[in-house]
Amino acid sequence: MKAGFVNIFGKPNAGKSTLLNALAGEKLAIVSHKVQTTRHRIKAIVTNEDCQIIFSDTPGIIEPKYKLHEKMMQAVKGALEDADLALLIVDAKESPEENAAIFAALRLKVPALVILNKSDVVKEEQLKAAEEFFKAQPYCKAVVTISALKKKGIDDLLKLITTFLPEAAPFYEGDDLSDLPTKFFVSELIREKIFHLYGDEIPYHATVLVHEFKEKTTLIKIGADIIVQRDTQKGIILGEGGSMIKKLGTEARKDIEAFLGSKIFLELFVKVRPKWRDNELQLKEYGY
């Protein structure tokens, strides 16, 4: 039996969350075209007859501006410390040199595979040049080209990953897909809709806290707070006559029902907490 931790690192928007979902065969990490969508380290447990791989999606590597960003970079640091193998994901449309500088700064102590993502939208010559560049980097054991969105190259990548894992007993028993609680995924699905429905500012100033999760006979009752920093942001979340929060609730409910496989009753509340992104106590309360 082989078992190990395979952790995904890269710049914001390189496709880390899409890759995690493709490798897990389930949607566990939320996805949007906006940067910094991922704020937590999200683990996905993939188990088959002779192998267990614990994948981790990590926040995009950034220069911290708030305590929230510091917490996100701490999640990256934690993932560096327990990795057996690193997947260094690169948007194939971007400069290899810029990504290489970020990867070198990680000071990896484990083997790494460089994953050239979005290969379906890049010319062959550009891909070849990037492949040759990364093959020459000291941390790189192999370069793999994929399209995480189209699940192209995922099976070959999984086979290659297993060759780098140590022989070990499984870390997790049973058929759980993650070690995170259900409430976490519910809050993330709501937050994903905030990224999709609102302008550039709001998603970065908002977080979601599930304060009620009650399983009743016919449905699950869920109550969640959407936390923002200013009254004006609360007004934007609500929308005229509550139109936007109603739309948010409707869209989130569909995804949560699909995720839980059950009918839900969802209540959303908007609360203003000034400067919560720099408040240690509030960050802890909100799960950071």
Side-chain angles (χ1 to χ4, degrees), residues 59-245:
I61 298 162
I62 54 168
E63 204 60 53
K65 291 180 183 173
Y66 306 98
K67 278 200 170 74
L68 171 62
H69 290 166
E70 288 170 17
K71 301 278 184 194
M72 288 158 64
M73 292 309 98
Q74 281 168 21
V76 174
K77 188 170 180 284
L80 282 168
E81 286 166 3
D82 67 18
D84 292 299
L85 176 69
L87 302 184
L88 307 177
I89 187 165
V90 177
D91 181 334
K93 303 192 299 295
E94 291 191 351
S95 149
E97 290 81 5
E98 196 179 314
N99 281 278
I102 289 168
F103 298 150
L106 292 173
R107 294 191 179 90
L108 291 165
K109 296 184 177 81
V110 294
L113 306 179
V114 173
I115 314 298
L116 293 177
N117 189 29
K118 309 181 187 179
S119 61
D120 52 321
V121 291
V122 175
K123 288 181 179 170
E124 194 63 34
E125 314 87 79
Q126 192 177 344
L127 266 182
K128 287 284 177 208
E131 272 183 56
E132 292 308 313
F133 174 85
F134 282 112
K135 276 178 185 171
Q137 302 308 310
Y139 49 75
C140 177
K141 294 294 179 189
V143 179
V144 185
T145 59
I146 66 159
S147 167
L149 189 63
K150 296 188 176 175
K151 298 184 173 61
K152 180 182 157 195
I154 297 299
D155 289 342
D156 289 342
L157 175 57
L158 275 165
K159 283 176 196 160
L160 181 60
I161 286 167
T162 54
T163 65
F164 285 92
L165 294 182
E167 288 189 5
F171 291 91
Y172 296 93
E173 297 298 330
D175 54 2
D176 284 347
L177 283 169
S178 182
D179 62 346
L180 289 162
T182 305
K183 276 165 71 170
F184 169 81
F185 292 105
V186 169
S187 68
E188 285 287 274
L189 288 168
I190 297 166
R191 198 167 64 81
E192 182 180 49
K193 295 304 170 200
I194 295 171
F195 267 84
H196 288 179
L197 291 174
Y198 296 91
D200 287 340
E201 177 194 320
I202 294 293
Y204 301 109
H205 290 251
T207 194
V208 177
L209 178 68
V210 173
H211 59 77
E212 184 180 21
F213 190 95
K214 286 183 183 165
E215 296 189 42
K216 298 183 176 285
T217 328
T218 53
L219 52 70
I220 300 169
K221 188 180 180 211
I222 298 170
D225 295 333
I226 297 166
I227 314 294
V228 291
Q229 298 207 118
R230 295 194 286 272
D231 283 319
T232 50
Q233 294 165 348
K234 179 177 179 176
I236 294 167
I237 293 278
L238 292 170
E240 196 175 338
S243 59
M244 283 303 291
I245 198 164

Side-chain angles (χ1 to χ4, degrees), residues 237-263:
I237 293 278
L238 292 170
E240 196 175 338
S243 59
M244 283 303 291
I245 198 164
K246 188 178 177 184
K247 188 175 182 184
L248 171 62
T250 301
E251 292 200 10
R253 182 175 49 77
K254 285 178 195 166
D255 280 9
I256 295 166
E257 285 183 343
F259 181 77
L260 297 176
S262 170
K263 284 278 179 197

